[in-house]
Structures are given as C-alpha cells and as structure tokens.
Amino acid sequence: MLRLNCVVSITNLFKMKKIAPWIPPRLMVAVGTLVSVNVAFALVTLYPTQGSLAWFDRAATSYVIHISVDGLGASYLQNMLNDASNPLPNFKKLRDEGAWTMNARTDYDYTITLPNHTGMLTGRPVNDKNGVANSGHHWATNITPPAGTTLQGSAGYAIASVFDVAHSNGLRTGLYATKEKFVLFKDSYAANIDAYANYDLDATLMMNDFLANMNANPTHYTFVHFNDTDTAGHASGWGSAPYIAAAKKVDGHLGQIFSLIQAKPQMQGKTKIILSTDHGGVDLGHGDQTVAVNYTIPMFIWGEGIAANSNLYTLNGSATQDPGNGRPQLANNVAQPIRNGDGGNCALRMLGLSTIPGSLMANLYAPCGVSAPTQPAANGFSAGATWKYLDNGSNAGTTWREANFNDAAWASGPAPLGYGDPVSTTINSGPANAFFITAYFRRTFVVTNAAEIGAAALQLRRDDGAVVYLNNIEVARSNMPAGAIAFNTLASVVVGNDDEKAFNSVVIPVSSFVTGTNIIAVEVHQQSQTSSDLVFDLALTYTRTVNAQATATPTATPTASPTARASTSTPTPTPPANATATPTPTATPTSTGSNQPRDKFVFMPLIWQAKP
C-alpha cells in the first residue's frame, strides 16, 4: 500500500505540472498528498486484504457465530437446565446472560434436518407461502445429495443465502458441519464460503478445525452444526441417558466457543451467538411435523447489549407472538412465532447488513440490534387458551352464541379440549357407542378499537367438524354441511390421522369485531355417534397498525467459560506470497435498521491471482 501511495502521489504531481504549470510547487505538493491519502484510504476500504477488517469497526457487532444443535428438543433441554444433576454450564450461560425462548418453531411443513437448515441459511420455508410462486426453497429430502447438487439447480431459480449477503459485503464466512449431507450448502454457495469443514458425526474433529481457523483469522459470519443430540436420539431415544450425555458434550464445545471469544481481543464485546435447532424429537424419530415435541424448539441470542435472562418474545415486541401450544402457519395474516429460519437474517442485521433477498422469515428485530418497522401488530389469543364448555349432549339452541348469555354454570379448561386423543382438558363424551354429537365452547376477549383492525384470521383444530361464530355472526365452517346447523347435525366426513392434529387457517371478516368485549363461540360436531374421539383448539389473530419497536437493555460484557482445548488442525489457508489482489465489483451493500456500518464505502471480495 505504501508503494502504491508513493506512485499515486508522484503520478498526480507530474500530471498537475503538465496540465497546470502555473500552480505553485508547494500547493501542488499539498494537493498531491491529499489525493494520495484519499486514494489510499479508499483502496484499503474498498479492497481489504484478508484480516484487514479486524481493525476497521464496521458495526457494533463484528462477528456472529450461528449454531445449530441438531435435534435439541425444547422440553428436554428445559428439563436438563432445571436438573442440578445434569450440569450444562454453557447452555445456562446462554440463558442467564442472553435472551431466550423454549417456544420457537421449526418449518411449518417439515421437522427434518436438511429442509430446516436450508431455511436457517436462506430465510425461506420449504414450500411456497402466501400464494407467491418460488417463495419456498423446495428442498424436502433428508439424504446426502449427489456431488455437485445445488439448491438453485434443484429449485430451478436463484436462492440466496446468508453467505451470499455477508460475502458480497466484504465479510468472510465459514461453515462447519458434522453431517455429510451438509455438502449441499458447500456446493450451493462455494464461492461465498471462505472456510469449510465437515466431519460426518464427529464434532470433536470439526471443532479442531473451527478453533484453529478462528484463532488464525476469524470469519465474520460462521455457521456451526453439532450432530450429537440427534444421533443419540435416533439411537437411544430423545430424553434418554445417551441423549443427555450428548447434550453435555455439546455444552463442552460451547465452552470452547466462549473461551475463544474471551481470548481474542478482536472478538471480545463484538461477537454475538445465535443458537437454535432444526427439530426436536420423540422416541426414536421426529418426522411428524404436527407433533408438538418435534416442532417446539429453543432459541438463544447472546452477546454485548442483549438483556440478561430475557424473554426473546418480550424483547422482540409485537413483531412476533408466542404461539402457546399452537402451530401457526407461515402466512401474512397469521401472527408469527419466532422460527429457526429467522436466525440467518438476525445475524445479518447484527452485522449491519440487509436481509437475504427472497427470504420470508425475518421477524427478529430488537434482539438483532435494529428497530422493527411500523407494521401490523398481532393481537388475539394463541392456541391452548382457556375455554368455557358445555358437554352434556343437550340442545343449546342459538342463545349460547350471544354476548349476554350466562355461561356461569359451564365448566372451563385449557385447550386442546376433547376426549379419545391426547388433550389438556378431557370433556364428557357421553355413553359408549352413543357419544354426544355436539360440544359447545365459548370465550371472550377485548378489542380496544375495532376500527383499527386491518385483517383477521383464525387457526382451527377440529375433529370432526366445527362452526365458529364471532359476536353471533358465523365466520367459519369446517367439515360441516351447508345450510342450517342443528345440535344433532353430523360432520361431513370422518377426520383422522394428520388431519385431526392440523390447524386450519381461515380468514375472517373484520366487520365482525366490536370495540370492547367480543365473544367467540364454537360448536364441534362428530361424524357419527360411534366416533371415539373429539378434539378442539383455536387461535385468533387480528392485526392493527402500531409501531412494533422494542429495545434491548444493555448488560455487562459476558464472562468467559472453560478454556478451549488446543487445536492441531491447519488454519484457513492465506494467499501465496507472490499473489496480488484483484477486486471483483459487486453491488453496493445496503443496510436496514439502526445497527448500520459506520463506513459508507462499497466492500468488494478479492480474487487472488499469482503474479506472472
């Protein structure tokens, strides 16, 4: 750079002397020096060599380590954290010093490894959503793909990733995995992944490479995958003793990561950790996406400025809504839970960058250092709410749907309600082989200003059929015949298998709401009197325009955990001594939110070429 600096200075002086010989020499020297300094600074900023960004403070966060602990079910982790006999000091560090939830969600349609990890890295669901073609990534298989297979080639259209956005903005990226099938991501984004290691089912070897490379030249965005809990779950069962031992092993690796951050001055106070998973599990598997222990997952965010031991939903404000026991569809008219697919865009926001082009999951704001835009805020109630119910087989007529109906004599309990299937509240079924056809459910909720409501939808789980009324107006009918409905009207068809577990999304008219107390009433009907099960649950979401901003409360810099093990692996290779850097122009990076880089220059990746 110094040699280039001198050349620029001398060249400018000669040009100025030739073009304008009347300029005094002292002024010419001053102008030439100023031009030289400006050019040198711009070149350093535009074309950084490897490691040159370490001293340049682009944003409050310089490094993000995005971790996936494969198969880490929320309920099992919560039990281990509550059990003093199973110490997990580094998971506890994430919880006690960061923001967290045990009620995040996977992809709506799949609870298997590759589809969910693809969502984490691209911000896309598996299937198209909101009626938009090509909005999903469409990778639905869970086997190691043939060499050279890419997400883009499989889908037939461009699928951007967190690696693309970070790398095109001059940052270095890394991918460290412990399943052979993750070669899919290496092959899909090879040009934008600077450091890569994949040791099938061997997290120790993977961590050796990770620690060596991060000590030598840390990547700014790094995705790290641990297989251990998933492997133990498939072999011995989720929640088994080997599963707990696998979680402890991962906890030890987290300690190594904490020690790395504490030991490197350039990473201290400037590194964030995002930790989540692809799915939970039960018994020996996790393939049923409608089972709560499969789709209910943890998420942690740790680092400087994150409020200690805070609820991730509370910290994120109204941009997301805790789904309770529900499984909300990914849709514009449904309040969204925090999903594992939000992690990639959260990492980019932490780094002061824009979100992934084409992504649909970008609902984390304040925990990622930015303010949420003014947007429709979610209101209503989640699945698992408490309902009043009548289960005596009587004909309730129509007055039970009205706001002034006296339901004081009705029983109450949390959803799901029913019998014959796993439920939270068991209701009276009636005599065997002469089961009651209809059960009635009511609950109230308050709307502060009905005129503000812009859209509304409900998520209905029913076995077999149901009719839903809002303020005595029918707003939804599912698996019920047309025409008048009586107390002994049978549902249209028998509901079973996945359909009886599914939540059906229904858009409802906003004109049905009133300011003040609203009453929602549901009648659930059996298809026959010999049907042995009935299930009901419902979530209601309506949106109104408010500012969804939430702000994190800064906390003290987290302390270190156990010292990292020494690594014997080879660091990421550096360019040869006889190489020169040739910049390849890319698009100017953009930024969203308040966590914006201080520099305003275009950052460009380098292609190393040997001198002739």
Side-chain angles (χ1 to χ4, degrees):
M1 182 57 68
L2 290 177
R3 179 178 62 83
L4 176 61
N5 212 5
C6 294
V7 171
V8 172
S9 299
I10 295 171
T11 301
N12 285 330
L13 288 173
F14 274 114
K15 286 183 178 179
M16 292 173 67
K17 182 66 177 176
K18 183 176 180 180
I19 296 172
W22 44 269
I23 297 179
R26 290 184 180 178
L27 179 59
M28 190 177 298
V29 171
V31 173
T33 302
L34 178 61
V35 171
S36 173
V37 170
N38 285 338
V39 170
F41 178 74
L43 286 173
V44 170
T45 309
L46 286 170
Y47 313 133
T49 59
Q50 291 196 23
S52 67
L53 289 178
W55 58 269
F56 195 87
D57 189 10
R58 349 177 351 105
T61 299
S62 296
Y63 304 95
V64 176
I65 301 174
H66 188 179
I67 300 171
S68 173
V69 182
D70 205 313
L72 186 65
S75 59
Y76 307 109
L77 178 60
Q78 185 67 69
N79 289 339
M80 285 185 277
L81 290 174
N82 292 338
D83 185 355
S85 67
N86 291 313
L88 297 174
N90 297 295
F91 277 108
K92 288 181 179 178
K93 182 180 178 70
L94 286 171
R95 180 195 65 185
D96 295 345
E97 297 179 2
W100 60 281
T101 179
M102 292 293 176
N103 205 29
R105 290 293 182 266
T106 63
D107 182 86
Y108 180 80
D109 299 301
Y110 290 86
T111 49
I112 53 179
T113 297
L114 275 185
N116 272 270
H117 281 96
T118 303
M120 293 184 208
L121 297 172
T122 66
R124 292 175 182 255
V126 179
N127 295 329
D128 293 345
K129 298 296 179 181
N130 299 319
V132 179
N134 300 341
S135 58
H137 61 69
H138 291 287
W139 189 272
T141 65
N142 201 30
I143 59 175
T144 302
T149 301
T150 66
L151 292 167
Q152 301 89 331
S154 176
Y157 50 88
I159 299 178
S161 73
V162 60
F163 300 115
D164 300 326
V165 177
H167 198 275
S168 68
N169 283 275
L171 301 186
R172 300 179 64 254
T173 66
L175 170 61
Y176 297 86
T178 52
K179 284 188 175 179
E180 183 183 11
K181 64 185 73 173
F182 277 58
V183 70
L184 172 68
F185 306 128
K186 189 265 288 184
D187 289 344
S188 297
Y189 304 110
N192 292 319
I193 297 176
D194 298 283
Y196 174 77
N198 190 348
Y199 292 93
D200 191 42
L201 308 185
D202 196 329
T204 299
L205 289 179
M206 179 273 290
M207 281 298 293
N208 287 342
D209 277 17
F210 168 82
L211 293 171
N213 292 343
M214 293 295 283
N215 273 301
N217 193 6
T219 43
H220 302 91
Y221 171 81
T222 311
F223 190 85
V224 181
H225 167 261
F226 294 102
N227 70 286
D228 304 80
T229 43
D230 182 72
T231 301
H234 282 296
S236 304
W238 263 258
S240 64
Y243 183 88
I244 294 172
K248 291 179 180 179
K249 181 180 177 184
V250 173
D251 187 83
H253 292 314
L254 295 179
Q256 293 177 293
I257 293 174
F258 280 127
S259 295
L260 166 76
I261 295 169
Q262 186 65 21
K264 289 191 73 65
Q266 72 194 86
M267 297 181 73
Q268 290 180 26
K270 297 175 75 66
T271 301
K272 295 286 198 309
I273 292 175
I274 302 170
L275 186 145
S276 191
T277 184
D278 50 349
H279 55 75
V282 61
D283 296 329
L284 299 176
H286 50 79
D288 188 343
Q289 73 276 11
T290 67
V291 174
V293 289
N294 291 340
Y295 64 67
T296 305
I297 58 173
M299 179 174 279
F300 299 84
I301 296 180
W302 175 93
E304 183 76 15
I306 302 297
N309 199 15
S310 57
N311 183 300
L312 201 52
Y313 280 101
T314 301
L315 193 61
N316 201 42
S318 57
T320 49
Q321 179 174 296
D322 191 318
N325 296 325
R327 178 174 160 257
Q329 174 67 273
L330 179 58
N332 287 335
N333 60 0
V334 176
Q336 287 304 294
I338 294 169
R339 299 185 188 272
N340 53 13
D342 289 313
N345 279 319
C346 181
L348 292 174
R349 284 171 170 155
M350 289 172 172
L351 293 166
L353 303 177
S354 60
T355 54
I356 304 166
S359 60
L360 297 183
M361 292 179 282
N363 294 316
L364 281 172
Y365 292 93
C368 316
V370 300
S371 297
T374 299
Q375 62 178 27
N379 295 266
F381 55 86
S382 301
T386 297
W387 294 77
K388 302 295 291 288
Y389 62 90
L390 179 66
D391 60 349
N392 61 8
S394 65
N395 181 0
T398 59
T399 58
W400 68 279
R401 307 184 316 225
E402 298 173 357
N404 60 357
F405 176 79
N406 184 359
D407 60 9
W410 288 27
S412 66
L417 304 100
Y419 55 84
D421 285 323
V423 293
S424 297
T425 302
T426 300
I427 68 173
N428 181 21
S429 64
N433 295 319
F435 296 115
F436 298 147
I437 292 175
T438 305
Y440 302 92
F441 305 89
R442 287 169 48 97
R443 82 182 311 270
T444 59
F445 61 97
V446 175
V447 174
T448 55
N449 186 351
E452 291 181 345
I453 298 176
L458 55 83
Q459 299 281 315
L460 172 65
R461 180 183 176 189
R462 81 290 180 268
D463 178 6
D464 292 300
V467 183
V468 183
Y469 307 90
L470 178 57
N471 298 315
N472 206 19
I473 299 171
E474 181 179 330
V475 294
R477 184 179 294 211
S478 179
N479 194 30
M480 293 294 293
I485 301 295
F487 85 102
N488 57 354
T489 301
L490 298 175
S492 299
V493 297
V494 174
V495 170
N497 299 322
D498 290 346
D499 194 28
E500 67 182 10
K501 303 174 185 176
F503 282 81
N504 301 275
S505 181
V506 182
V507 176
I508 62 176
V510 298
S511 58
S512 305
F513 291 85
V514 297
T515 299
T517 300
N518 290 247
I519 176 72
I520 188 163
V522 184
E523 52 183 293
V524 178
H525 292 246
Q526 291 281 38
Q527 198 277 331
S528 76
Q529 286 192 282
T530 59
S531 178
S532 61
D533 59 350
L534 179 148
V535 178
F536 164 71
D537 198 353
L538 185 143
L540 171 69
T541 301
Y542 60 90
T543 57
R544 58 190 178 87
T545 302
V546 299
N547 194 319
Q549 178 174 342
T551 305
T553 304
T555 59
T557 303
T559 56
S561 284
T563 305
R565 296 180 299 174
S567 173
T568 58
S569 62
T570 304
T572 304
T574 54
N578 65 337
T580 58
T582 304
T584 301
T586 60
T588 305
T590 59
S591 178
T592 59
S594 58
N595 187 16
Q596 188 170 343
R598 296 186 182 132
D599 59 282
K600 303 296 182 182
F601 297 97
V602 180
F603 282 80
M604 301 182 181
L606 298 176
I607 299 175
W608 293 98
Q609 297 178 341
K611 292 181 180 179

